[in-house]
């Protein structure tokens, strides 16, 4: 689905806090993120607003209302001097889904990433997130890798 023409994508700014937090809380609730994630909201906002933090945020507007968000973490890459962008979160509010906003957000991030000399953008999704996978399978190449994790807290 082509991106919606009435959509706008832009970096988060201080005045976006109420809209961003409402959308972010909806995302956390949907994914059952729990108390640890909700207790970190203030710190996450601080990082999103700090110019030298690797966490970056965008807000999606559709029909003149906040409709989604994207969070990207930039990390160093050992095979290149250019940073790699990790799309940590991409959330579109239910009222704005199936209108091309997620694809438009990714396209916006890719344009910005090219301008900022990112090496690539990568992301992951849950095995059961079939709606997202339909988009991702169409616009990106899956990478066959196994991810491992050890919780430290």
């Amino acid at each position: 689905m082509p991106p919606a023409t009435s959509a706008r994508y832009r970096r988060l700014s201080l005045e976006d806090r109420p809209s961003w937090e409402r959308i972010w809380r909806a995302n956390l609730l949907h994914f059952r993120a729990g108390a640890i994630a909700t207790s970190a909201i203030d710190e996450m906002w601080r990082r999103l607003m700090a110019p030298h933090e690797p966490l970056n945020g965008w807000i999606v507007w559709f029909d003149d209302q906040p409709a989604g968000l994207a969070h990207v973490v930039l990390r160093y890459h050992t095979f290149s001097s250019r940073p790699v962008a990790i799309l940590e979160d991409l959330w579109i509010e239910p009222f704005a889904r199936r209108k091309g906003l997620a694809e438009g957000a990714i396209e916006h991030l890719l344009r910005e990433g090219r301008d900022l000399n990112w090496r690539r953008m990568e992301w992951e999704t849950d095995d059961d997130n079939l709606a997202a996978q339909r988009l991702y399978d169409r616009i990106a190449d899956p990478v066959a890798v196994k991810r491992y994790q050890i919780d430290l807290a």
Side-chain angles (χ1 to χ4, degrees):
M1 172 177 298
T5 56
S6 64
R8 291 182 296 125
Y9 308 89
R10 65 170 174 76
R11 291 261 183 166
L12 285 169
S13 60
L14 287 172
E15 64 269 9
D16 292 321
R17 172 70 191 253
S19 297
W20 169 85
E21 186 169 332
R22 180 184 53 74
I23 295 168
W24 182 237
R25 285 182 182 276
N27 174 277
L28 295 177
L29 182 65
H30 176 81
F31 288 107
R32 297 179 180 90
I36 291 174
T38 56
S39 69
I41 287 174
D42 288 338
E43 175 62 13
M44 188 165 167
W45 182 256
R46 185 199 65 74
R47 290 177 181 172
L48 285 163
M49 292 297 105
H52 300 297
E53 286 279 349
L55 181 61
N56 299 268
W58 287 261
I59 192 161
V60 178
W61 285 78
F62 180 70
D63 285 346
D64 296 321
Q65 56 185 320
L69 57 76
H71 298 141
V72 169
V73 175
L74 296 176
R75 69 169 175 84
Y76 293 116
H77 186 259
T78 56
F79 293 174
S80 172
S81 61
R82 297 162 54 197
V84 170
I86 311 298
L87 178 59
E88 285 285 322
D89 306 293
L90 177 58
W91 176 259
I92 303 298
E93 291 280 80
F95 82 88
R97 290 187 185 153
R98 309 217 28 95
K99 297 177 180 11
L101 298 178
E103 183 173 356
I106 291 171
E107 288 176 3
H108 177 86
L109 294 171
L110 293 173
R111 280 192 303 275
E112 196 163 321
R114 285 183 190 100
D115 291 344
L116 295 171
N117 202 31
W118 297 349
R119 169 87 170 77
R120 70 175 175 256
M121 188 168 74
E122 56 190 48
W123 62 91
E124 60 189 42
T125 191
D126 291 332
D127 282 338
D128 63 353
N129 191 345
L130 300 179
Q133 288 177 40
R134 280 191 294 279
L135 168 62
Y136 302 156
D137 287 343
R138 189 167 47 76
I139 66 171
D141 297 321
V143 178
V145 17
K146 239 179 165 158
R147 183 170 176 239
Y148 297 90
Q149 172 176 310
I150 300 173
D151 287 330
L152 301 177

